[in-house]
Amino acid sequence: KETYDFLTSLPLSYLHVFTYSKRPHTLAAMMQNHLPAMVKKERTNQLLALSHEKKKKFYQEHCGQERMVLIESTEEHGCLFGFTDNYIKVKTPYKKELINTIINLKVEENSLCMD
């Protein structure tokens, strides 16, 4: 709860969440009273949900802004994907000449990739 509340209070846009697992021959592995797997899973899921909320808010705060975007070669369903200079994943209609270039793009709700 303290960790969750602390992370909630920070202006973060993303959390890298992973569940603790014992590593042989470490001091932590030899400690007593490890949490049950279900408790760890529930806490991990809570932090992943918080991360999703923070990412969504961060993305939406930048809607309407023009950002520099590095367009990658990944193509799917007629779209190219890239990342803005502040690491927002966006998509734009496919144009071969845009691959591996940096373009100026207005970030719109329909160009955001929340995956």
Side-chain angles (χ1 to χ4, degrees):
K1 174 88 171 99
E2 286 178 25
T3 299
Y4 184 92
D5 290 344
F6 176 66
L7 293 172
T8 299
S9 73
L10 296 176
L12 303 171
S13 61
Y14 172 78
L15 305 171
H16 184 82
V17 179
F18 57 94
T19 304
Y20 168 79
S21 59
K22 291 182 187 179
R23 297 288 186 248
H25 312 296
T26 64
L27 292 176
M30 293 181 257
M31 294 173 74
Q32 300 297 314
N33 301 321
H34 286 270
L35 293 173
M38 286 304 295
V39 171
K40 291 191 282 187
K41 183 176 182 177
E42 179 181 318
R43 290 179 181 180
T44 296
N45 288 337
Q46 289 171 347
L47 291 178
L48 289 171
L50 177 61
S51 180
H52 182 76
E53 288 173 31
K54 287 190 165 285
K55 182 178 182 180
K56 183 177 177 181
K57 181 181 178 201
F58 180 74
Y59 275 32
Q60 289 173 339
E61 286 172 352
H62 291 85
C63 278
Q65 292 184 0
E66 295 235 350
R67 306 299 300 204
M68 299 302 292
V69 177
L70 172 60
I71 301 296
E72 299 177 337
S73 60
T74 305
E75 184 271 330
E76 186 177 311
H77 304 293
C79 291
L80 287 170
F81 298 86
F83 287 91
T84 65
D85 54 338
N86 60 348
Y87 211 67
I88 294 174
K89 187 174 182 182
V90 294
K91 63 184 175 184
T92 189
Y94 180 84
K95 292 181 187 170
K96 186 176 181 176
E97 63 274 13
L98 295 180
I99 295 172
N100 295 322
T101 64
I102 297 174
I103 64 169
N104 201 22
L105 180 76
K106 187 172 184 178
V107 177
E108 300 287 354
E109 187 77 31
N110 65 346
S111 67
L112 296 175
C113 299
M114 286 298 299
D115 55 0

